[in-house]
Amino acid sequence: MRIRNIKKNQLAAWLFAGLSAPVAQIAGGMPWQTVALIAGACLSVCWLLGRMELAPAKWLCIIEYVWLVCLLGSMASWISDSWTAGAVYPAVPLILLVLGGASAYRGTENGARTGSTLFWLIGLVYVGVIVAGAGEVDPRELAVRSGDIDARLIAVLLIPCLTVFLKEEEGKLAARGLLGIFIFAVLVSVLVTGALSLPVAADADAPLHEWVEGLSLAGTLQRFEAVVSMALTMGWFALLSYLIAAAGRLTECVKAGAHSKGCWAAVAGAGVLVIFGRGLSPTV
């Protein structure tokens, strides 16, 4: 499988598009100071690993592959939170898994092109939402406060470490891509907790949706929920395709030419967990 066609900018855009969905759903319920500390630490680790030239042992690749399948399956329950009325479970997660596999099985570069294209669509949505919601923030709500740490954010922000298995141009992941993810995570936390207050945001099942319910742009464009749900769905598709592509590369590290089989095996394994293992911890 050829991976030399992936550019660093494409990889960074693919990652941002994918991580935008879980980060937006999780960071809104945590204090922005905590989000900044977690994001800074996790993304620094990812950046350092992305600069290294590592040759993982086969046994490590097998362990990472099993962990990836568990991560794919456990994230399915999060996808249902992308819609205010909920999603048809497990049909929607299974459909996104199959689409992610179709995007990644022919080669990592195909997934990278798709993800980098979705980056622009998702970015346009979030720019509009940020512009509409910036004026709703109460600075008094941004004071230093303690709050619960959602371990899911740590698991999500360590995903860029998989760049070591998607090597291109010496495996160096553009630092500005990770910086963009950091800024986005902190910005979501500031906007949501600043508008709703931390106690309300932390107790909400979907703080992001609760925040966007009352937003309007220039007094005319309202009801952002459907648009945000669309952006979250595109983000989840980008993330699933990234993880499935990484699973294919891990398989190829064990057996040359097995990328396609590794991708579909990951989809099948994750699908089983979606159907029979809802609620499995994503930090496994």
Side-chain angles (χ1 to χ4, degrees):
M1 184 195 67
R2 296 180 298 110
I3 61 173
R4 61 178 179 272
N5 290 331
I6 299 180
K7 299 177 181 179
K8 288 190 290 185
N9 289 340
Q10 282 184 320
L11 185 57
W14 190 11
L15 268 174
F16 183 91
L19 293 181
S20 66
V23 167
Q25 291 179 206
I26 299 170
M30 297 172 58
W32 70 268
Q33 299 93 341
T34 303
V35 172
L37 288 173
I38 292 175
C42 292
L43 296 177
S44 294
V45 171
C46 295
W47 181 77
L48 289 173
L49 286 177
R51 311 273 311 173
M52 296 180 181
E53 293 190 24
L54 302 176
K58 290 185 177 181
W59 64 268
L60 179 58
C61 291
I62 294 173
I63 293 175
E64 287 287 342
Y65 184 89
V66 173
W67 174 81
L68 260 181
V69 173
C70 291
L71 185 65
L72 279 165
S74 63
M75 280 185 169
S77 60
W78 307 5
I79 298 175
S80 298
D81 296 333
S82 299
W83 293 268
T84 53
V88 179
Y89 191 96
V92 172
L94 289 175
I95 290 172
L96 288 180
L97 276 172
V98 172
L99 291 176
S103 173
Y105 86 98
R106 287 188 175 180
T108 310
E109 63 272 18
N110 293 332
R113 293 191 190 102
T114 303
S116 60
T117 300
L118 291 177
F119 165 80
W120 295 105
L121 298 174
I122 294 170
L124 285 174
V125 172
Y126 285 124
V127 167
V129 172
I130 290 170
V131 171
E136 303 293 327
V137 175
D138 184 352
R140 293 173 296 181
E141 298 292 344
L142 301 179
V144 178
R145 301 187 182 199
S146 60
D148 294 335
I149 296 177
D150 193 333
R152 296 181 303 169
L153 185 64
I154 299 175
V156 166
L157 291 177
L158 286 176
I159 286 176
C161 289
L162 294 171
T163 299
V164 71
F165 302 110
L166 300 172
K167 284 192 171 184
E168 159 59 9
E169 298 182 8
E170 300 180 356
K172 296 179 180 178
L173 178 60
R176 59 182 174 274
L178 295 178
L179 179 61
I181 296 169
F182 172 84
I183 294 173
F184 179 75
V186 175
L187 191 57
V188 168
S189 179
V190 167
L191 291 171
V192 176
T193 60
L196 299 179
S197 80
L198 181 59
V200 173
D203 290 339
D205 293 330
L208 180 68
H209 284 301
E210 189 160 329
W211 170 60
V212 301
E213 279 180 359
L215 297 183
S216 64
L217 187 60
T220 56
L221 182 58
Q222 298 178 337
R223 306 299 296 179
F224 280 96
E225 298 97 312
V227 179
V228 170
S229 295
M230 177 190 69
L232 290 172
T233 304
M234 290 190 294
W236 278 115
F237 166 74
L239 181 58
L240 293 180
S241 67
Y242 177 85
L243 294 176
I244 294 169
R249 289 291 296 142
L250 284 167
T251 308
E252 201 164 27
C253 289
V254 177
K255 182 179 179 180
H259 175 88
S260 179
K261 293 180 179 179
C263 288
W264 288 119
V267 170
V272 171
L273 292 178
V274 166
I275 297 172
F276 299 106
R278 187 174 188 181
L280 183 68
S281 171
T283 55
V284 172

